[in-house]
Amino acid sequence: MRALLYVVFVTIGGLLSVAIGYLVEPEVSMTVSLIVFLALFFANFVISWIAVVLVTNGSLKNVHGREAQLDVEQAKQEAMMPWARRSLQRRTLVGDGYR
């Protein structure tokens, strides 16, 4: 779903870049029109990605899924047997020693 939405946003942004480039050309020059078009065209990819994240997640706080990964790791640790969890904590607190 996200990939399709991204393609739609990039297509719309590309068409807008072309339209703005054509509008700038008669007003200024062909060179400036090309620069404006290229700037808008490449910025379009970043803007489309941010728009897809905002539409699907509602915010940019958890873009890479770090919170979900931390929740999964915490659930795995809580599911471990108590004696294994204690020895794991001891190893990580002490460093590389196995006491």
Side-chain angles (χ1 to χ4, degrees):
M1 178 66 184
R2 290 180 183 178
L4 179 63
L5 193 58
Y6 181 72
V7 169
V8 169
F9 283 163
V10 166
T11 303
I12 292 170
L15 293 173
L16 285 172
S17 299
V18 169
I20 292 171
Y22 277 135
L23 289 173
V24 169
E25 186 174 352
E27 298 295 326
V28 184
S29 72
M30 190 182 300
T31 306
V32 173
S33 172
L34 178 64
I35 293 170
V36 168
F37 166 74
L38 288 175
L40 290 173
F41 180 76
F42 289 114
N44 173 37
F45 293 104
V46 175
I47 293 168
S48 295
W49 176 72
I50 291 172
V52 167
V53 171
L54 287 174
V55 167
T56 56
N57 289 349
S59 76
L60 295 174
K61 288 182 181 178
N62 192 19
V63 174
H64 299 292
R66 289 187 182 131
E67 291 177 17
Q69 181 64 30
L70 290 174
D71 291 342
V72 168
E73 290 175 5
Q74 184 178 7
K76 282 173 37 178
Q77 187 178 19
E78 289 173 358
M80 291 173 62
M81 290 187 280
W83 60 270
R85 185 172 53 228
R86 270 184 268 135
S87 67
L88 180 65
Q89 288 173 348
R90 198 173 329 127
R91 264 187 249 138
T92 56
L93 290 176
V94 173
D96 59 354
Y98 294 98
R99 295 184 184 180

Coordinates of all heavy atoms in Angstrom, one line a residue:
M1 N 0.8 -1.2 0.0 CA 0.0 0.0 0.0 C 0.9 1.3 0.0 O 0.6 2.2 -0.7 CB -0.9 0.0 1.2 CG -1.8 1.2 1.4 SD -3.0 1.3 0.0 CE -3.8 2.8 0.4
R2 N 1.9 1.3 0.8 CA 2.8 2.4 0.9 C 3.5 2.7 -0.4 O 3.7 3.8 -0.8 CB 3.8 2.3 2.1 CG 3.1 2.3 3.4 CD 4.2 2.2 4.5 NE 3.5 2.2 5.8 CZ 4.1 2.0 6.9 NH1 5.4 1.9 7.0 NH2 3.5 2.0 8.1
A3 N 4.0 1.6 -1.0 CA 4.7 1.8 -2.3 C 3.8 2.4 -3.4 O 4.2 3.2 -4.1 CB 5.2 0.4 -2.7
L4 N 2.6 1.9 -3.4 CA 1.6 2.4 -4.4 C 1.3 3.9 -4.1 O 1.3 4.7 -5.0 CB 0.3 1.6 -4.4 CG -0.8 2.1 -5.4 CD1 -0.3 1.9 -6.8 CD2 -2.0 1.3 -5.1
L5 N 1.2 4.2 -2.9 CA 0.9 5.6 -2.5 C 2.1 6.5 -2.8 O 2.0 7.6 -3.3 CB 0.6 5.7 -1.0 CG 0.0 7.0 -0.4 CD1 -1.3 7.3 -1.1 CD2 -0.2 6.8 1.1
Y6 N 3.3 6.0 -2.6 CA 4.5 6.7 -3.0 C 4.6 7.0 -4.5 O 4.9 8.1 -4.9 CB 5.8 5.9 -2.5 CG 7.1 6.6 -2.8 CD1 7.4 7.8 -2.0 CD2 7.9 6.2 -3.7 CE1 8.6 8.4 -2.3 CE2 9.1 6.8 -4.0 CZ 9.5 7.9 -3.3 OH 10.7 8.6 -3.5
V7 N 4.3 6.0 -5.3 CA 4.3 6.1 -6.7 C 3.3 7.2 -7.1 O 3.6 8.0 -8.0 CB 4.1 4.8 -7.4 CG1 3.8 5.0 -8.9 CG2 5.2 3.8 -7.2
V8 N 2.2 7.2 -6.5 CA 1.1 8.2 -6.9 C 1.6 9.6 -6.5 O 1.5 10.5 -7.3 CB -0.2 7.9 -6.2 CG1 -1.2 9.0 -6.3 CG2 -0.8 6.6 -6.7
F9 N 2.2 9.8 -5.3 CA 2.7 11.1 -4.9 C 3.9 11.5 -5.8 O 3.9 12.7 -6.2 CB 3.1 11.1 -3.5 CG 2.0 11.1 -2.5 CD1 2.2 10.8 -1.2 CD2 0.7 11.5 -2.9 CE1 1.2 10.8 -0.2 CE2 -0.3 11.5 -1.9 CZ -0.1 11.2 -0.6
V10 N 4.8 10.6 -6.2 CA 5.9 11.0 -7.0 C 5.4 11.4 -8.4 O 5.9 12.4 -9.0 CB 6.9 9.8 -7.1 CG1 7.9 10.1 -8.2 CG2 7.7 9.7 -5.8
T11 N 4.4 10.7 -8.9 CA 3.8 11.0 -10.2 C 3.2 12.4 -10.2 O 3.4 13.2 -11.1 CB 2.8 10.0 -10.7 OG1 3.4 8.7 -10.7 CG2 2.3 10.2 -12.0
I12 N 2.4 12.7 -9.2 CA 1.8 14.0 -9.1 C 2.8 15.1 -8.9 O 2.7 16.1 -9.6 CB 0.8 14.0 -7.9 CG1 -0.4 13.1 -8.2 CG2 0.3 15.4 -7.6 CD1 -1.3 12.8 -7.0
G13 N 3.8 14.8 -8.1 CA 4.9 15.8 -7.9 C 5.7 16.0 -9.2 O 6.1 17.2 -9.5
G14 N 5.9 15.0 -10.0 CA 6.6 15.1 -11.2 C 5.9 15.9 -12.2 O 6.4 16.8 -13.0
L15 N 4.6 15.7 -12.3 CA 3.7 16.5 -13.2 C 3.7 18.0 -12.8 O 3.7 18.9 -13.6 CB 2.3 15.9 -13.2 CG 2.2 14.6 -13.9 CD1 0.8 14.0 -13.7 CD2 2.6 14.6 -15.4
L16 N 3.7 18.2 -11.5 CA 3.7 19.6 -11.0 C 5.1 20.2 -11.3 O 5.1 21.4 -11.7 CB 3.5 19.6 -9.5 CG 2.0 19.4 -9.0 CD1 1.9 19.3 -7.5 CD2 1.2 20.6 -9.5
S17 N 6.1 19.5 -11.2 CA 7.5 20.0 -11.5 C 7.5 20.4 -13.0 O 8.1 21.5 -13.3 CB 8.5 19.0 -11.2 OG 8.6 18.6 -9.9
V18 N 7.0 19.6 -13.9 CA 7.0 19.9 -15.3 C 6.2 21.2 -15.6 O 6.6 22.1 -16.3 CB 6.5 18.7 -16.1 CG1 6.2 19.1 -17.6 CG2 7.5 17.6 -16.1
A19 N 5.0 21.2 -14.9 CA 4.1 22.4 -15.2 C 4.8 23.7 -14.7 O 4.7 24.7 -15.4 CB 2.8 22.2 -14.4
I20 N 5.4 23.6 -13.5 CA 6.0 24.9 -13.0 C 7.2 25.2 -13.9 O 7.5 26.4 -14.1 CB 6.4 24.7 -11.5 CG1 5.1 24.6 -10.7 CG2 7.3 25.8 -11.0 CD1 5.4 24.2 -9.2
G21 N 8.0 24.2 -14.3 CA 9.1 24.5 -15.2 C 8.6 25.2 -16.5 O 9.2 26.1 -17.0
Y22 N 7.5 24.7 -17.1 CA 6.9 25.3 -18.3 C 6.4 26.8 -18.0 O 6.5 27.6 -18.9 CB 5.8 24.5 -18.9 CG 6.3 23.4 -19.8 CD1 5.7 22.1 -19.6 CD2 7.2 23.6 -20.7 CE1 6.1 21.1 -20.4 CE2 7.7 22.5 -21.5 CZ 7.1 21.3 -21.4 OH 7.5 20.3 -22.2
L23 N 5.9 27.0 -16.8 CA 5.5 28.3 -16.5 C 6.6 29.3 -16.3 O 6.5 30.5 -16.6 CB 4.6 28.3 -15.2 CG 3.2 27.6 -15.4 CD1 2.5 27.5 -14.0 CD2 2.4 28.4 -16.3
V24 N 7.7 28.8 -15.8 CA 8.9 29.7 -15.5 C 9.6 30.0 -16.8 O 10.2 31.1 -17.0 CB 9.9 29.0 -14.5 CG1 11.2 29.7 -14.4 CG2 9.2 28.9 -13.2
E25 N 9.6 29.1 -17.8 CA 10.4 29.3 -19.0 C 10.1 30.6 -19.8 O 11.0 31.4 -20.1 CB 10.2 28.1 -19.9 CG 11.1 28.1 -21.1 CD 11.1 26.9 -21.9 OE1 10.5 25.9 -21.5 OE2 11.6 26.9 -23.0
P26 N 8.8 30.9 -20.1 CA 8.6 32.1 -20.9 C 8.8 33.4 -20.0 O 9.1 34.5 -20.6 CB 7.1 32.0 -21.3 CG 6.5 31.0 -20.5 CD 7.6 30.1 -19.9
E27 N 8.7 33.3 -18.7 CA 8.9 34.5 -17.9 C 10.3 34.8 -17.6 O 10.7 36.0 -17.6 CB 8.2 34.2 -16.5 CG 6.7 34.0 -16.6 CD 6.0 35.2 -17.1 OE1 6.4 36.3 -16.8 OE2 5.0 35.0 -17.7
V28 N 11.2 33.9 -17.5 CA 12.6 34.1 -17.2 C 13.5 33.7 -18.3 O 13.9 34.5 -19.1 CB 13.0 33.5 -15.8 CG1 14.4 33.9 -15.5 CG2 12.1 33.9 -14.7
S29 N 13.9 32.4 -18.3 CA 14.7 31.9 -19.4 C 14.7 30.4 -19.3 O 14.2 29.8 -18.4 CB 16.2 32.4 -19.3 OG 16.8 31.7 -18.2
M30 N 15.2 29.7 -20.4 CA 15.2 28.3 -20.5 C 16.2 27.7 -19.4 O 15.9 26.6 -18.8 CB 15.7 27.8 -21.9 CG 15.5 26.4 -22.1 SD 16.1 25.8 -23.7 CE 15.1 26.8 -24.8
T31 N 17.3 28.4 -19.1 CA 18.2 27.9 -18.1 C 17.6 27.9 -16.7 O 17.7 26.9 -16.0 CB 19.5 28.7 -18.2 OG1 20.0 28.8 -19.5 CG2 20.6 28.2 -17.2
V32 N 17.0 29.0 -16.4 CA 16.4 29.1 -15.1 C 15.2 28.0 -15.0 O 15.0 27.4 -13.9 CB 15.9 30.5 -14.8 CG1 15.1 30.6 -13.5 CG2 17.0 31.5 -14.8
S33 N 14.5 27.8 -16.0 CA 13.4 26.9 -16.0 C 14.0 25.5 -15.8 O 13.4 24.7 -15.0 CB 12.7 26.9 -17.4 OG 11.8 25.9 -17.5
L34 N 15.1 25.1 -16.4 CA 15.7 23.8 -16.2 C 16.1 23.7 -14.7 O 15.9 22.6 -14.1 CB 16.9 23.6 -17.1 CG 17.6 22.3 -17.0 CD1 16.7 21.1 -17.3 CD2 18.9 22.3 -17.8
I35 N 16.7 24.7 -14.2 CA 17.2 24.6 -12.8 C 16.0 24.5 -11.8 O 16.1 23.7 -10.9 CB 18.0 25.9 -12.4 CG1 19.3 25.9 -13.2 CG2 18.3 26.0 -10.9 CD1 20.1 27.2 -13.1
V36 N 15.0 25.2 -12.1 CA 13.8 25.1 -11.2 C 13.2 23.7 -11.3 O 12.8 23.1 -10.3 CB 12.7 26.2 -11.6 CG1 11.4 25.9 -11.0 CG2 13.2 27.6 -11.2
F37 N 13.1 23.2 -12.6 CA 12.5 21.9 -12.8 C 13.3 20.8 -12.1 O 12.8 20.0 -11.4 CB 12.4 21.5 -14.3 CG 12.2 20.1 -14.5 CD1 10.9 19.5 -14.3 CD2 13.2 19.3 -14.9 CE1 10.7 18.2 -14.5 CE2 13.0 17.9 -15.2 CZ 11.7 17.4 -14.9
L38 N 14.6 20.9 -12.2 CA 15.5 19.8 -11.6 C 15.4 19.9 -10.1 O 15.3 18.9 -9.4 CB 16.9 20.0 -12.1 CG 17.2 19.5 -13.5 CD1 18.6 19.8 -13.9 CD2 16.8 18.1 -13.7
A39 N 15.4 21.1 -9.5 CA 15.3 21.3 -8.1 C 14.0 20.7 -7.6 O 13.9 19.9 -6.6 CB 15.4 22.7 -7.7
L40 N 12.9 21.0 -8.2 CA 11.6 20.5 -7.8 C 11.5 19.0 -8.0 O 10.9 18.3 -7.2 CB 10.5 21.2 -8.6 CG 10.2 22.7 -8.3 CD1 9.2 23.3 -9.2 CD2 9.8 22.8 -6.8
F41 N 12.0 18.5 -9.1 CA 12.0 17.1 -9.5 C 12.6 16.2 -8.4 O 12.1 15.3 -7.9 CB 12.6 16.8 -10.8 CG 12.5 15.4 -11.2 CD1 11.4 14.8 -11.7 CD2 13.7 14.6 -11.2 CE1 11.3 13.5 -12.1 CE2 13.6 13.3 -11.6 CZ 12.4 12.7 -12.0
F42 N 13.9 16.6 -8.0 CA 14.6 15.8 -7.0 C 14.0 16.1 -5.6 O 14.0 15.1 -4.7 CB 16.1 16.1 -7.1 CG 16.7 15.5 -8.3 CD1 17.2 16.3 -9.3 CD2 16.7 14.2 -8.5 CE1 17.8 15.8 -10.4 CE2 17.2 13.6 -9.7 CZ 17.8 14.4 -10.6
A43 N 13.6 17.2 -5.3 CA 12.9 17.5 -4.0 C 11.6 16.7 -3.9 O 11.2 16.3 -2.8 CB 12.7 19.0 -3.8
N44 N 11.0 16.4 -5.0 CA 9.8 15.7 -5.0 C 9.9 14.3 -4.4 O 9.0 13.9 -3.7 CB 9.3 15.5 -6.5 CG 8.2 14.6 -6.7 OD1 7.2 14.6 -5.9 ND2 8.2 13.9 -7.8
F45 N 11.0 13.6 -4.5 CA 11.2 12.3 -3.9 C 11.2 12.4 -2.4 O 10.5 11.5 -1.8 CB 12.5 11.7 -4.5 CG 12.4 11.3 -5.9 CD1 13.1 12.1 -6.8 CD2 11.7 10.3 -6.4 CE1 13.0 11.8 -8.2 CE2 11.6 10.0 -7.7 CZ 12.3 10.8 -8.6
V46 N 11.8 13.3 -1.9 CA 11.9 13.5 -0.4 C 10.5 13.9 0.1 O 10.0 13.4 1.1 CB 13.0 14.5 0.0 CG1 12.9 14.7 1.5 CG2 14.3 14.0 -0.4
I47 N 9.9 14.9 -0.5 CA 8.6 15.4 -0.1 C 7.5 14.3 -0.2 O 6.7 14.1 0.7 CB 8.2 16.6 -0.9 CG1 9.1 17.8 -0.6 CG2 6.8 17.0 -0.7 CD1 9.0 18.9 -1.5
S48 N 7.6 13.5 -1.3 CA 6.6 12.4 -1.4 C 6.8 11.3 -0.3 O 5.8 10.8 0.2 CB 6.8 11.7 -2.8 OG 6.4 12.6 -3.8
W49 N 8.1 11.0 0.1 CA 8.3 10.1 1.1 C 7.8 10.6 2.4 O 7.1 9.8 3.2 CB 9.8 9.8 1.2 CG 10.2 8.9 2.4 CD1 10.0 7.6 2.5 CD2 10.8 9.3 3.6 NE1 10.5 7.1 3.7 CE2 11.0 8.1 4.4 CE3 11.3 10.5 4.1 CZ2 11.6 8.2 5.6 CZ3 11.8 10.6 5.3 CH2 12.0 9.4 6.1
I50 N 8.0 11.8 2.7 CA 7.5 12.4 4.0 C 6.0 12.4 4.0 O 5.3 12.1 5.0 CB 8.0 13.8 4.2 CG1 9.5 13.8 4.5 CG2 7.3 14.6 5.3 CD1 10.2 15.1 4.5
A51 N 5.4 12.7 2.8 CA 3.9 12.7 2.7 C 3.3 11.3 3.0 O 2.3 11.1 3.6 CB 3.5 13.2 1.4
V52 N 4.0 10.3 2.4 CA 3.5 8.9 2.6 C 3.6 8.5 4.1 O 2.7 7.9 4.6 CB 4.3 7.9 1.7 CG1 4.1 6.5 2.2 CG2 4.0 8.1 0.3
V53 N 4.7 8.9 4.7 CA 4.8 8.6 6.2 C 3.8 9.3 7.0 O 3.2 8.7 7.9 CB 6.2 9.0 6.7 CG1 6.3 8.9 8.2 CG2 7.3 8.1 6.0
L54 N 3.5 10.6 6.7 CA 2.5 11.3 7.4 C 1.1 10.7 7.2 O 0.3 10.6 8.1 CB 2.5 12.8 7.0 CG 3.6 13.6 7.5 CD1 3.6 15.0 6.9 CD2 3.6 13.7 9.0
V55 N 0.8 10.3 5.9 CA -0.5 9.7 5.6 C -0.7 8.4 6.3 O -1.8 8.1 6.9 CB -0.7 9.6 4.1 CG1 -1.9 8.7 3.8 CG2 -0.9 11.0 3.5
T56 N 0.3 7.5 6.3 CA 0.2 6.2 6.9 C 0.3 6.1 8.4 O -0.4 5.4 9.1 CB 1.2 5.2 6.2 OG1 2.5 5.7 6.4 CG2 0.9 5.0 4.8
N57 N 1.3 6.9 9.0 CA 1.5 6.9 10.4 C 0.9 8.0 11.2 O 0.6 7.9 12.3 CB 3.0 6.9 10.7 CG 3.7 5.6 10.3 OD1 3.1 4.6 10.0 ND2 5.0 5.7 10.3
G58 N 0.7 9.1 10.5 CA 0.1 10.2 11.2 C 1.1 11.2 11.8 O 0.8 12.3 12.2
S59 N 2.4 10.7 11.9 CA 3.5 11.6 12.4 C 4.8 11.1 12.0 O 4.9 10.0 11.4 CB 3.4 11.7 14.0 OG 4.0 10.5 14.5
L60 N 5.8 11.8 12.2 CA 7.2 11.4 11.8 C 8.0 10.9 13.0 O 9.2 10.7 12.9 CB 7.9 12.6 11.2 CG 7.4 13.1 9.9 CD1 8.1 14.4 9.4 CD2 7.5 12.1 8.8
K61 N 7.4 10.7 14.2 CA 8.1 10.3 15.4 C 8.7 8.9 15.3 O 9.8 8.7 15.7 CB 7.2 10.3 16.6 CG 6.8 11.7 17.0 CD 5.9 11.6 18.3 CE 5.5 13.0 18.7 NZ 4.6 12.9 19.8
N62 N 8.0 8.0 14.6 CA 8.5 6.6 14.6 C 8.7 6.1 13.2 O 8.2 5.1 12.7 CB 7.5 5.7 15.3 CG 8.1 4.3 15.6 OD1 9.3 4.1 15.6 ND2 7.3 3.4 15.8
V63 N 9.5 6.9 12.4 CA 9.7 6.6 11.0 C 10.4 5.3 10.8 O 10.0 4.5 9.9 CB 10.5 7.7 10.3 CG1 10.8 7.4 8.9 CG2 9.7 9.0 10.4
H64 N 11.4 5.0 11.5 CA 12.2 3.8 11.3 C 11.7 2.5 12.1 O 12.3 1.5 12.1 CB 13.7 4.0 11.6 CG 14.3 5.1 10.8 ND1 14.5 4.9 9.4 CD2 14.7 6.3 11.0 CE1 15.0 6.0 8.9 NE2 15.1 6.9 9.9
G65 N 10.7 2.7 12.9 CA 10.1 1.6 13.7 C 10.9 1.2 14.9 O 10.9 0.1 15.4
R66 N 11.7 2.2 15.4 CA 12.5 1.9 16.6 C 11.7 1.5 17.8 O 12.0 0.6 18.6 CB 13.4 3.1 16.9 CG 14.5 3.3 15.9 CD 15.5 4.3 16.3 NE 16.4 4.5 15.2 CZ 16.8 5.6 14.7 NH1 16.2 6.8 15.1 NH2 17.7 5.7 13.7
E67 N 10.6 2.2 18.0 CA 9.7 1.9 19.2 C 9.2 0.5 19.1 O 9.1 -0.2 20.1 CB 8.6 3.0 19.3 CG 9.1 4.4 19.6 CD 8.0 5.4 19.7 OE1 6.8 5.0 19.8 OE2 8.3 6.6 19.7
A68 N 8.7 0.1 17.9 CA 8.2 -1.2 17.8 C 9.2 -2.3 18.0 O 9.0 -3.3 18.6 CB 7.6 -1.4 16.4
Q69 N 10.5 -2.0 17.5 CA 11.6 -3.0 17.7 C 11.9 -3.1 19.2 O 12.1 -4.2 19.7 CB 12.8 -2.5 16.9 CG 14.0 -3.5 17.1 CD 13.7 -4.8 16.5 OE1 12.9 -5.0 15.6 NE2 14.3 -5.8 17.0
L70 N 11.9 -2.0 19.9 CA 12.2 -2.0 21.4 C 11.1 -2.8 22.1 O 11.4 -3.5 23.0 CB 12.3 -0.6 21.9 CG 13.5 0.2 21.5 CD1 13.5 1.6 22.0 CD2 14.8 -0.5 22.0
D71 N 9.8 -2.6 21.7 CA 8.7 -3.4 22.3 C 8.9 -4.9 22.1 O 8.7 -5.7 23.0 CB 7.4 -2.9 21.8 CG 7.0 -1.5 22.2 OD1 7.6 -1.0 23.2 OD2 6.2 -0.9 21.6
V72 N 9.3 -5.3 20.9 CA 9.5 -6.7 20.6 C 10.6 -7.2 21.4 O 10.5 -8.3 22.0 CB 9.8 -6.9 19.1 CG1 10.3 -8.3 18.8 CG2 8.5 -6.6 18.3
E73 N 11.7 -6.5 21.5 CA 12.9 -7.0 22.3 C 12.5 -7.1 23.8 O 12.9 -8.0 24.5 CB 14.1 -6.1 22.1 CG 14.7 -6.2 20.7 CD 15.8 -5.2 20.5 OE1 16.1 -4.4 21.5 OE2 16.3 -5.1 19.4
Q74 N 11.7 -6.1 24.3 CA 11.3 -6.2 25.7 C 10.4 -7.4 26.0 O 10.5 -8.0 27.0 CB 10.6 -4.9 26.1 CG 10.3 -4.8 27.6 CD 9.6 -3.5 27.9 OE1 9.4 -2.7 27.1 NE2 9.4 -3.3 29.2
A75 N 9.5 -7.6 25.0 CA 8.6 -8.8 25.2 C 9.4 -10.1 25.2 O 9.1 -11.0 25.9 CB 7.5 -8.8 24.1
K76 N 10.4 -10.2 24.3 CA 11.2 -11.4 24.3 C 12.0 -11.6 25.6 O 12.1 -12.7 26.1 CB 12.2 -11.3 23.1 CG 11.5 -11.6 21.8 CD 12.4 -11.4 20.5 CE 13.8 -11.8 20.6 NZ 14.5 -11.6 19.3
Q77 N 12.5 -10.5 26.1 CA 13.2 -10.6 27.4 C 12.3 -11.0 28.5 O 12.7 -11.7 29.4 CB 13.9 -9.2 27.7 CG 14.8 -9.3 28.9 CD 15.5 -8.0 29.1 OE1 15.1 -7.0 28.7 NE2 16.6 -8.1 29.9
E78 N 11.1 -10.4 28.5 CA 10.1 -10.8 29.6 C 9.7 -12.2 29.5 O 9.3 -12.9 30.5 CB 8.9 -9.8 29.6 CG 9.3 -8.4 30.0 CD 8.1 -7.5 29.8 OE1 7.1 -7.9 29.3 OE2 8.3 -6.3 30.2
A79 N 9.7 -12.8 28.3 CA 9.3 -14.1 28.1 C 10.3 -15.1 28.5 O 10.0 -16.3 28.7 CB 8.9 -14.4 26.6
M80 N 11.6 -14.7 28.6 CA 12.6 -15.6 29.0 C 12.4 -16.1 30.5 O 11.7 -15.4 31.2 CB 14.0 -14.9 28.9 CG 14.4 -14.6 27.5 SD 15.9 -13.6 27.5 CE 17.1 -14.7 28.3
M81 N 13.0 -17.2 30.8 CA 12.8 -17.7 32.2 C 13.6 -16.7 33.1 O 14.6 -16.1 32.7 CB 13.4 -19.1 32.3 CG 12.6 -20.1 31.5 SD 13.1 -21.8 31.8 CE 14.5 -21.9 30.6
P82 N 13.1 -16.6 34.3 CA 13.7 -15.6 35.3 C 15.2 -15.8 35.5 O 16.0 -14.9 35.5 CB 12.9 -15.8 36.5 CG 11.6 -16.5 36.1 CD 11.9 -17.3 34.9
W83 N 15.6 -17.1 35.6 CA 17.1 -17.3 35.9 C 17.9 -17.0 34.6 O 19.0 -16.5 34.8 CB 17.3 -18.8 36.3 CG 16.9 -19.8 35.2 CD1 15.7 -20.4 35.1 CD2 17.7 -20.3 34.1 NE1 15.7 -21.2 34.0 CE2 16.9 -21.1 33.4 CE3 19.0 -20.0 33.7 CZ2 17.4 -21.8 32.3 CZ3 19.5 -20.7 32.6 CH2 18.6 -21.6 31.9
A84 N 17.4 -17.1 33.4 CA 18.1 -16.8 32.2 C 18.2 -15.3 32.1 O 19.2 -14.7 31.7 CB 17.5 -17.4 31.0
R85 N 17.1 -14.6 32.5 CA 17.1 -13.1 32.4 C 18.1 -12.5 33.4 O 18.8 -11.6 33.0 CB 15.7 -12.6 32.6 CG 15.6 -11.1 32.4 CD 14.2 -10.6 32.5 NE 13.5 -11.0 33.7 CZ 12.3 -11.5 33.8 NH1 11.6 -11.7 32.7 NH2 11.7 -11.8 34.9
R86 N 18.2 -13.1 34.6 CA 19.1 -12.6 35.6 C 20.6 -12.8 35.1 O 21.4 -11.9 35.2 CB 18.9 -13.3 36.9 CG 17.9 -12.5 37.8 CD 17.8 -13.1 39.1 NE 16.7 -14.1 39.0 CZ 16.7 -15.3 39.5 NH1 17.8 -15.8 40.2 NH2 15.7 -16.1 39.4
S87 N 20.9 -13.9 34.5 CA 22.3 -14.2 34.1 C 22.6 -13.3 32.9 O 23.7 -12.8 32.8 CB 22.5 -15.6 33.7 OG 21.7 -16.0 32.6
L88 N 21.6 -13.0 32.0 CA 21.8 -12.1 30.9 C 22.1 -10.7 31.4 O 23.0 -10.0 30.9 CB 20.6 -12.1 30.0 CG 20.7 -11.3 28.7 CD1 21.8 -11.7 27.8 CD2 19.4 -11.3 28.0
Q89 N 21.3 -10.3 32.4 CA 21.5 -8.9 32.9 C 22.9 -8.8 33.6 O 23.6 -7.8 33.5 CB 20.4 -8.6 33.9 CG 19.1 -8.3 33.3 CD 18.0 -8.2 34.3 OE1 18.2 -8.4 35.5 NE2 16.8 -7.7 33.8
R90 N 23.3 -9.9 34.3 CA 24.6 -9.8 35.0 C 25.7 -9.7 34.0 O 26.6 -9.0 34.1 CB 24.7 -11.1 35.8 CG 25.8 -10.9 36.9 CD 25.9 -12.1 37.9 NE 24.6 -12.7 38.2 CZ 24.4 -14.1 38.0 NH1 25.4 -14.8 37.7 NH2 23.3 -14.6 38.3
R91 N 25.6 -10.5 32.9 CA 26.6 -10.5 31.9 C 26.7 -9.1 31.2 O 27.8 -8.6 31.0 CB 26.4 -11.5 30.8 CG 27.1 -12.8 31.0 CD 26.9 -13.7 29.9 NE 26.1 -14.9 30.4 CZ 25.2 -15.4 29.7 NH1 24.9 -15.0 28.5 NH2 24.5 -16.4 30.2
T92 N 25.6 -8.5 30.9 CA 25.6 -7.2 30.3 C 26.1 -6.1 31.2 O 26.7 -5.2 30.8 CB 24.3 -6.8 29.7 OG1 23.3 -6.9 30.7 CG2 23.9 -7.8 28.5
L93 N 25.8 -6.2 32.5 CA 26.2 -5.2 33.4 C 27.7 -5.3 33.7 O 28.4 -4.3 33.9 CB 25.4 -5.3 34.7 CG 24.0 -4.9 34.7 CD1 23.3 -5.1 36.0 CD2 23.8 -3.5 34.2
V94 N 28.2 -6.6 33.8 CA 29.6 -6.8 34.2 C 30.5 -6.5 32.9 O 31.6 -6.0 33.0 CB 29.9 -8.2 34.7 CG1 31.3 -8.5 34.9 CG2 29.1 -8.4 36.0
G95 N 30.0 -6.8 31.8 CA 30.8 -6.6 30.6 C 30.9 -7.9 29.9 O 30.0 -8.6 29.6
D96 N 32.2 -8.3 29.6 CA 32.4 -9.6 28.9 C 32.6 -10.7 29.8 O 32.9 -11.8 29.3 CB 33.6 -9.4 27.9 CG 34.8 -9.0 28.6 OD1 34.8 -8.8 29.8 OD2 35.9 -9.0 28.0
G97 N 32.6 -10.6 31.1 CA 32.9 -11.6 32.0 C 31.6 -12.5 32.3 O 30.5 -12.0 32.2
Y98 N 31.8 -13.8 32.5 CA 30.7 -14.7 32.8 C 30.8 -15.1 34.3 O 31.6 -16.0 34.6 CB 30.8 -15.9 31.9 CG 30.5 -15.6 30.5 CD1 31.5 -15.4 29.6 CD2 29.2 -15.5 30.0 CE1 31.3 -15.1 28.3 CE2 29.0 -15.2 28.7 CZ 30.0 -15.0 27.8 OH 29.8 -14.7 26.5
R99 N 30.1 -14.5 35.2 CA 30.2 -14.8 36.6 C 29.0 -15.6 37.0 O 27.9 -15.4 36.6 CB 30.4 -13.6 37.4 CG 31.7 -12.9 37.1 CD 31.8 -11.7 38.0 NE 33.0 -11.0 37.6 CZ 33.5 -9.9 38.2 NH1 32.8 -9.4 39.3 NH2 34.6 -9.4 37.9

